[in-house]
Amino acid sequence: YVYFYSLQQADLRKAGFAERRVQQLAGVFVDGFDALVKGQTAKAISRFRKCSKILPEYFHMDFIIAVTYEKKGDFKNAARFYKHYLMKLKKYSQGMFRITGPLIEETAAFDIPDYEEAQ
């Protein structure tokens, strides 16, 4: 949250497309997280799903969506997004996210589990 909150405040007018895209993701994520804290689960899920469309490789979003659905009691959608998370994590573990990998690593304040461990 702190990383994205700081990023959404940065002046990226002269930055490239990728940086501006990540900043867009940051703003939507912060909005979704704030909604979740306020108990607005449906709004949070909507915002998190939009994040997933902005940067599909960002598998942490799928995990967050799954946890949010689980909190809501919607286990079918939670399971679906846990599966999306695992599929993307497998690709990440295989080195397929060479461009977005550094962003994913920068925003994780924890060690990213390998695919086998997560599954």
Side-chain angles (χ1 to χ4, degrees):
Y1 179 86
V2 174
Y3 176 83
F4 283 135
Y5 183 81
S6 300
L7 185 60
Q8 75 172 356
Q9 306 298 325
D11 181 7
L12 298 179
R13 289 178 287 191
K14 295 181 181 179
F17 175 77
E19 291 90 350
R20 291 192 315 271
R21 188 79 167 176
V22 172
Q23 187 176 47
Q24 179 187 10
L25 169 76
V28 177
F29 175 81
V30 167
D31 189 37
F33 192 85
D34 289 345
L36 186 61
V37 169
K38 294 176 186 172
Q40 301 169 338
T41 309
K43 180 180 178 183
I45 289 170
S46 172
R47 303 310 285 166
F48 294 152
R49 289 184 77 161
K50 183 173 181 178
C51 287
S52 192
K53 290 179 182 167
I54 293 170
L55 190 62
E57 296 89 8
Y58 191 63
F59 56 86
H60 295 310
M61 213 69 265
D62 293 289
F63 187 82
I64 292 168
I65 294 168
V67 169
T68 307
Y69 271 123
E70 190 173 353
K71 179 179 178 176
K72 185 179 175 184
D74 185 344
F75 301 111
K76 182 179 178 181
N77 277 314
R80 186 169 60 120
F81 278 91
Y82 281 127
K83 184 176 179 180
H84 287 289
Y85 164 76
L86 287 172
M87 290 185 320
K88 291 177 185 178
L89 179 60
K90 184 176 184 178
K91 290 180 180 180
Y92 168 80
S93 296
Q94 294 170 339
M96 297 177 83
F97 298 158
R98 291 179 299 161
I99 296 173
T100 55
L103 167 70
I104 292 166
E105 293 160 8
E106 181 69 27
T107 61
F110 51 88
D111 289 332
I112 299 171
D114 62 15
Y115 173 73
E116 289 78 20
E117 180 182 342
Q119 186 170 352

